[in-house]
Amino acid sequence: MRCLCVVLALLLTGSVFAQKKQELPTKYTENKKAVVTLTSGKQVTAPNANIFMKDASLLYFQGNDAKSANMNIVASVEFDDKKYINIENQLAYFVDSIKGNSLYCVDLIDIKAWKQNLINNRNFTHIDFSSERLETYADNFVEHEDRMFPVINVYYFYLDGKFVLAHDRDLWVVLNKERHRLMKTAISDPNFSWTDPKSLMKLLKMISI
């Protein structure tokens, strides 16, 4: 496996992850090994990684510090249970596909609900994978009092070779007149929802012509 040696050395610094149970808003309760594919095609193995659900970015852990990857150069991340691709600097997973078009989902915390429970600032360091010289900067970070994070799902269509947010205004811009008519028909269904994958797949089927 190809990798950036300096980055790999940093990721492997120290002993096995042994800090207290994380109170961060992360996708997985326990950190996992992840294979990170960069936009250059190179791969890096992060032994203790997770997904930060505030913005669906890649996290990895070094000692007691949470590190955040430079999402501008991350193409995909593969954990043991699921592969995520980078859409708008967010890690999204595959839901379903039809006629060469697909639906992806990004899991995020509900920021408004989350802010009601914020406690204790802590240091959060951003790591740039893009060069041998690791550039970091500090930011304010917060811990949550428990792991019950309110989650919202944001969906994206991969339509005609492009990613489009599953939202009427965004989709309308990329559709032609005939597809506008089909979209109107689909969303006029009283059971249609922009946050329901079944509804979105029905819409995707209709506009995949």
Side-chain angles (χ1 to χ4, degrees):
M1 180 182 296
R2 301 174 65 192
C3 66
L4 296 179
C5 295
V6 173
V7 177
L8 182 57
L10 175 61
L11 295 177
L12 296 179
T13 297
S15 59
V16 177
F17 179 66
Q19 69 185 81
K20 295 180 180 180
K21 180 180 178 181
Q22 294 303 302
E23 302 298 340
L24 312 181
T26 54
K27 173 72 174 182
Y28 299 105
T29 303
E30 301 295 333
N31 298 323
K32 298 185 176 187
K33 182 176 76 172
V35 177
V36 183
T37 301
L38 307 180
T39 54
S40 65
K42 294 183 178 181
Q43 291 186 321
V44 177
T45 298
N48 291 299
N50 219 314
I51 297 175
F52 185 33
M53 291 183 66
K54 184 178 180 182
D55 58 6
S57 63
L58 173 65
L59 286 181
Y60 62 87
F61 294 81
Q62 181 187 16
N64 291 323
D65 295 326
K67 310 288 184 176
S68 179
N70 174 10
M71 292 300 294
N72 289 322
I73 62 165
V74 172
S76 65
V77 180
E78 188 166 1
F79 292 89
D80 58 358
D81 66 328
K82 195 173 295 184
K83 180 176 181 178
Y84 297 80
I85 64 172
N86 188 343
I87 302 178
E88 301 292 337
N89 285 340
Q90 302 169 104
L91 294 179
Y93 57 89
F94 173 82
V95 177
D96 204 350
S97 65
I98 188 168
K99 297 182 180 180
N101 297 317
S102 305
L103 178 67
Y104 287 85
C105 182
V106 176
D107 292 332
L108 298 168
I109 58 171
D110 185 329
I111 297 297
K112 291 183 179 179
W114 186 54
K115 283 183 176 179
Q116 297 177 2
N117 299 309
L118 294 181
I119 59 171
N120 300 332
N121 288 336
R122 64 178 295 177
N123 187 60
F124 191 55
T125 304
H126 294 247
I127 297 297
D128 187 346
F129 276 144
S130 62
S131 67
E132 292 185 355
R133 182 168 59 87
L134 296 173
E135 298 180 359
T136 67
Y137 62 90
D139 194 7
N140 287 328
F141 189 67
V142 290
E143 291 183 339
H144 196 279
E145 61 186 356
D146 56 42
R147 293 197 58 84
M148 300 301 293
F149 305 115
V151 178
I152 58 175
N153 304 119
V154 178
Y155 291 93
Y156 286 85
F157 291 124
Y158 182 70
L159 180 66
D160 300 335
K162 296 180 180 179
F163 289 107
V164 183
L165 180 66
H167 187 278
D168 54 353
R169 287 174 295 189
D170 295 78
L171 195 56
W172 187 269
V173 172
V174 302
L175 299 182
N176 58 26
K177 186 176 181 180
E178 175 60 16
R179 284 176 161 181
H180 285 166
R181 183 185 66 80
L182 294 171
M183 186 181 84
K184 285 181 178 179
T185 299
I187 66 178
S188 65
D189 185 330
N191 295 318
F192 178 86
S193 171
W194 289 102
T195 60
D196 173 36
K198 291 183 179 180
S199 295
L200 296 176
M201 284 305 300
K202 288 181 181 179
L203 170 59
L204 185 59
K205 181 178 181 180
M206 292 183 69
I207 62 178
S208 294
I209 57 175

